[in-house]
Amino acid sequence: MSPDDKAPLRLTFLDLLQCFLRSFFLQAVWNMERYLNYGFAFVLAPALKRLYPVREDRAQALTRHLEYFNTHPYMASFVLGAVLRMEEEKQTLPRPKQKQKEDEINALKVGMMGPIAAMGDNLFWATVRPYCGLLAITLILSQSFAPGTRAWIIPALFLAVFNVAHLGVRGLGFLQGYRQGDQVVLALRKYGFQAAIRGLKLASILLVGVLIVFVNMGELDREVGLFILKLSFFSALVGLFTFALHRKIAPGQLYYAVVLIGLILAYWPELSTPPVLPLEGVK
Amino acid sequence: MEHWIAISLLLGFLSLDATAVGQFMLSRPIAVGALVGLLTGHPEVGLLVGALVELIWIGEVPVGSHLPADLLILAGVATALAGELVQGGAPPEAAMTFAIGTAIPLAILSTELEGLLRRLHVRWAHFAQRMAGSGHFGTFDGVNTFVLLGLFLKGLLTAAASLFIAHLVGKLFRLLPDRAVDGLYYAHWLLLALGCSAAIDLMVEKKTSPFLVLSIVTALTAAFFQIPGVWMVSGALLAGFILTLIYAGKGETA
């Protein structure tokens, strides 16, 4: 009996679960040469063990997945799922066609990693995380939390909201990738990631507006005129700093510039009352 | 510094979350500040330092091989130092400004170290490839554990060293004249402006700037009518949610 006559090997639920759990370690051996190459092979290892019972075949398959790979860690699940399906499909093909499938697998990895990295960076690092961060920051500075009482809820909320999106996309990517194989590329558009980015960016802008008012509200209880004056001064500074950040001056450098401005203000003899900050009672 | 070992261990573990394991955002300043704050008995200082660091560095995004500043060390060390200074009687705003300023160079050093480690990982990746090629699959898998251990140790030692240096620098705070402490106090308010700028720089474009103005005007009106902060945040969230729905609808038809 030739190897081609055997029933094709299939991945079990446990294999897939193992691969999914390993996908959380995708970036562990992030290296400056081939980035996530080890991570990718490490995630697939349990599946390759099932699909390639012969030691040499397994070694060859694992080595094949150690090529350059770099993408967004959460969005990588789409590729991981799809590659698992394609590796499984490869087993159903006669030997001569398997080489072609290997090329297709590589092409999928190379073709998908760039676009999904760009989308993932924009969606998670530049939109969802700042949105969750702004939500938490606004709540912390809203003067509405009484010191010592359940303030831990705010960081917990930050983590919960972010990780619902994070784990949702990881799970969705892995499942849809595995279900659709190489067709997952076409399905990516359906999930409305671009729309979510636009919507959440607007929602974040609203939170920034509220935040700007919050950090100056201490003055409102004292005197309305002073409040307006401080808010105008604050807004002018925000404009100035935004311009500086836009010119690619690092936040760390601006930090020291701001401290310097603070010191100059302190040594300015005419300046009298310090601004009231929402930190009364902080210990 | 009290709890020196405990904070170092905590930061060591959390440093794995930053890139290597999961990325559940436990290593973000908001979470780190809160945890270190709880550990040192200054939960409010932790929250406020976390919020300020998160806000100012909100635009730092890891793209490609770019390594952003190590915000875990920044927030963790700053919270620990600020707590120590507040305990010594310093005004919280000035203490926080001083502590973050102290922690920035330490965070940059930690980032440099991270870069070195990732160059070292090239060797591990080559070793793993040899193991895979020769069929030593157990050793291949073991590389992951070794590298994680190395990353943990790097996080632990960096945190321990940074906390120690910060503690020493913190002693200079007492030498500051009152005026300079006032200056740090003013600077805290100015830093909030820098943070708002960072968020605006990241989020706002020309065509979406009217939303910012609209939001400020609405929040101002709400403030004059003394509507509680939580309600204002809830209002902004609701409006944001509606806007997201509108745009999500548009996205599907486009």
Side-chain angles (χ1 to χ4, degrees):
Chain A
M1 200 166 77
S2 77
D4 291 358
D5 299 331
K6 279 188 200 161
L9 292 158
R10 300 298 300 259
L11 294 173
T12 63
F13 173 74
L14 274 181
D15 295 331
L16 291 173
L17 184 67
Q18 252 185 309
C19 289
F20 180 67
L21 292 179
R22 279 185 176 220
S23 74
F24 289 93
F25 295 88
L26 180 70
Q27 295 204 115
V29 192
W30 199 111
N31 64 83
M32 289 288 192
E33 189 185 67
R34 281 180 283 170
Y35 297 81
L36 310 181
N37 72 327
Y38 174 86
F40 200 89
F42 177 78
V43 174
L44 296 185
L48 299 179
K49 186 180 177 184
R50 172 79 58 198
L51 295 175
Y52 299 93
V54 180
R55 190 183 158 97
E56 285 72 27
D57 291 349
R58 189 173 156 201
Q60 188 263 337
L62 205 56
T63 311
R64 185 157 46 82
H65 284 294
L66 281 167
E67 289 302 316
Y68 173 90
F69 186 75
N70 192 22
T71 193
H72 187 276
Y74 307 163
M75 301 294 280
S77 346
F78 284 96
V79 187
L80 288 166
V83 167
L84 283 172
R85 166 50 54 105
M86 290 169 85
E87 283 286 351
E88 207 177 39
E89 282 170 358
K90 191 187 142 198
Q91 303 300 315
T92 63
L93 299 171
R95 281 256 170 189
K97 285 203 171 174
Q98 289 192 353
K99 178 78 185 76
Q100 191 187 340
K101 195 71 180 177
E102 283 175 12
D103 293 342
E104 281 174 26
I105 291 173
N106 281 339
L108 178 100
K109 281 169 71 177
V110 174
M112 269 182 93
M113 66 182 177
I116 62 166
M119 189 186 274
D121 287 342
N122 197 4
L123 177 63
F124 282 100
W125 301 160
T127 307
V128 178
R129 187 170 72 191
Y131 172 75
C132 297
L134 278 171
L135 173 60
I137 294 160
T138 319
L139 281 173
I140 289 171
L141 298 175
S142 68
Q143 292 181 289
S144 48
F145 86 91
T149 55
R150 296 194 195 143
W152 56 267
I153 287 179
I154 301 170
L157 183 73
F158 163 77
L159 291 172
V161 176
F162 181 86
N163 282 309
V164 164
H166 159 206
L167 296 174
V169 165
R170 270 201 203 255
L172 176 86
F174 199 79
L175 277 179
Q176 290 302 324
Y178 184 67
R179 257 189 209 151
Q180 304 185 27
D182 53 3
Q183 298 300 307
V184 75
V185 188
L186 305 171
L188 267 174
R189 281 191 186 179
K190 277 196 303 192
Y191 303 121
F193 290 141
Q194 292 298 344
I197 290 171
R198 283 200 301 272
L200 286 177
K201 282 215 158 135
L202 282 183
S204 306
I205 294 171
L206 299 186
L207 284 174
V208 177
V210 174
L211 184 62
I212 289 178
V213 176
F214 272 166
V215 295
N216 291 288
M217 229 145 66
E219 308 296 336
L220 189 60
D221 300 335
R222 286 207 277 179
E223 204 182 315
V224 175
L226 193 63
F227 170 66
I228 299 287
L229 189 71
K230 284 267 155 69
L231 190 66
S232 314
F233 183 52
F234 190 85
S235 306
L237 280 171
V238 168
L240 181 74
F241 294 147
T242 309
F243 177 74
L245 286 167
H246 195 67
R247 299 302 294 262
K248 302 285 170 222
I249 301 177
Q253 291 167 337
L254 279 173
Y255 188 94
Y256 293 113
V258 168
V259 171
L260 195 67
I261 298 175
L263 289 173
I264 292 170
L265 287 178
Y267 281 91
W268 203 314
E270 283 83 13
L271 208 102
S272 55
T273 51
V276 174
L277 288 157
L279 305 177
E280 301 284 336
V282 167
K283 283 285 170 288
Chain B
M1 185 178 276
E2 270 184 276
H3 312 289
W4 183 47
I5 295 171
I7 304 169
S8 305
L9 277 170
L10 176 72
L11 295 183
F13 273 113
L14 293 181
S15 74
L16 293 178
D17 175 76
T19 318
V21 185
Q23 296 193 296
F24 297 103
M25 298 303 128
L26 288 164
S27 55
R28 289 303 292 184
I30 293 220
V32 175
L35 287 170
V36 174
L38 275 178
L39 197 67
T40 53
H42 300 279
E44 289 86 26
V45 169
L47 278 183
L48 292 163
V49 170
L52 192 58
V53 174
E54 184 82 47
L55 188 60
I56 294 176
W57 279 269
I58 205 164
E60 286 269 294
V61 177
V63 176
S65 60
H66 168 68
L67 285 175
D70 188 345
L71 299 185
L72 168 90
I73 289 291
L74 183 44
V77 172
T79 303
L81 178 59
E84 202 177 68
L85 295 175
V86 169
Q87 199 157 0
E93 296 86 355
M96 286 191 274
T97 310
F98 184 87
I100 296 173
T102 307
I104 291 173
L106 300 170
I108 293 172
L109 277 177
S110 172
T111 306
E112 290 298 316
L113 212 60
E114 179 88 18
L116 277 179
L117 212 57
R118 287 180 182 197
R119 277 186 200 98
L120 195 73
H121 287 174
V122 174
R123 291 185 179 203
W124 277 114
H126 283 206
F127 174 72
Q129 183 154 12
R130 281 202 301 281
M131 290 302 109
S134 57
H136 294 92
F137 304 117
T139 318
F140 174 84
D141 276 359
V143 168
N144 194 59
T145 316
F146 268 103
V147 167
L148 287 182
L149 197 67
L151 285 169
F152 169 70
L153 283 176
K154 177 250 166 195
L156 173 74
L157 296 176
T158 315
S162 303
L163 285 166
F164 182 67
I165 296 170
H167 173 69
L168 293 182
V169 177
K171 292 193 183 299
L172 296 176
F173 189 88
R174 284 193 197 156
L175 305 176
L176 291 177
D178 286 351
R179 279 257 170 123
V181 176
D182 282 350
L184 293 175
Y185 179 85
Y186 295 143
H188 184 267
W189 178 70
L190 300 172
L191 288 172
L192 289 167
L194 174 59
C196 291
S197 310
I200 290 172
D201 185 45
L202 178 69
M203 295 293 181
V204 184
E205 291 163 26
K206 228 174 209 172
K207 61 179 178 186
T208 50
S209 52
F211 285 98
L212 180 66
V213 178
L214 191 74
S215 165
I216 294 176
V217 172
T218 314
L220 267 178
T221 317
F224 277 115
F225 287 104
Q226 299 198 326
I227 290 170
V230 169
W231 286 105
M232 284 160 71
V233 178
S234 309
L237 277 184
L238 186 67
F241 185 67
I242 293 168
L243 281 177
T244 309
L245 281 186
I246 293 170
Y247 272 80
K250 270 188 186 174
E252 270 162 29
T253 50

